[in-house]
Amino acid sequence: MSAPRSLVLTAAVLLSCGALFGAFVPAVRVSVPVSAPAISTLPAALSAAVLVTPTIAYADDSSVWIPALSAVGAGFAIGLAAIGSGVGQGIASGRCIDGISRQPEVADDLRG
């Protein structure tokens, strides 16, 4: 009984992943020539480098995989941070309960 259900769930996951990856549509890039006065100072060069840096993440004009996978990686990092803090709080609470069970008279000190 579990084999057909597993196959159905696997197919559903694969179809939903296909729909998710199909949702990423490359943005239309329009290059407009801009004539600006030439500024040859260091702050202007640094700010131009900072503004150009995010566009380097695109592998070519039709690829959005790098920004999409960056978002997925950020989600995993946030999830791991949440799991780590939860585990740390659980360990601290468990040690507090162990201490209270061994010496009930210091319960107020341990809780504080």
Side-chain angles (χ1 to χ4, degrees):
M1 182 66 185
S2 66
R5 183 177 63 186
S6 176
L7 290 174
V8 168
L9 290 176
T10 303
V13 168
L14 290 175
L15 287 174
S16 63
C17 286
L20 176 68
F21 288 132
F24 292 110
V25 178
V28 178
R29 294 191 182 187
V30 179
S31 60
V32 178
V34 177
S35 61
I39 301 173
S40 62
T41 61
L42 182 63
L46 289 177
S47 64
V50 168
L51 290 175
V52 171
T53 302
T55 60
I56 296 173
Y58 289 93
D60 57 21
D61 288 337
S62 65
S63 176
V64 294
W65 281 105
I66 293 173
L69 293 178
S70 297
V72 171
F76 280 128
I78 291 170
L80 287 176
I83 289 170
S85 64
V87 168
Q89 289 179 354
I91 289 172
S93 299
R95 298 282 168 93
C96 180
I97 291 171
D98 287 342
I100 291 172
S101 67
R102 289 184 188 145
Q103 294 179 339
E105 63 273 4
V106 295
D108 291 334
D109 293 335
L110 289 176
R111 278 190 235 129

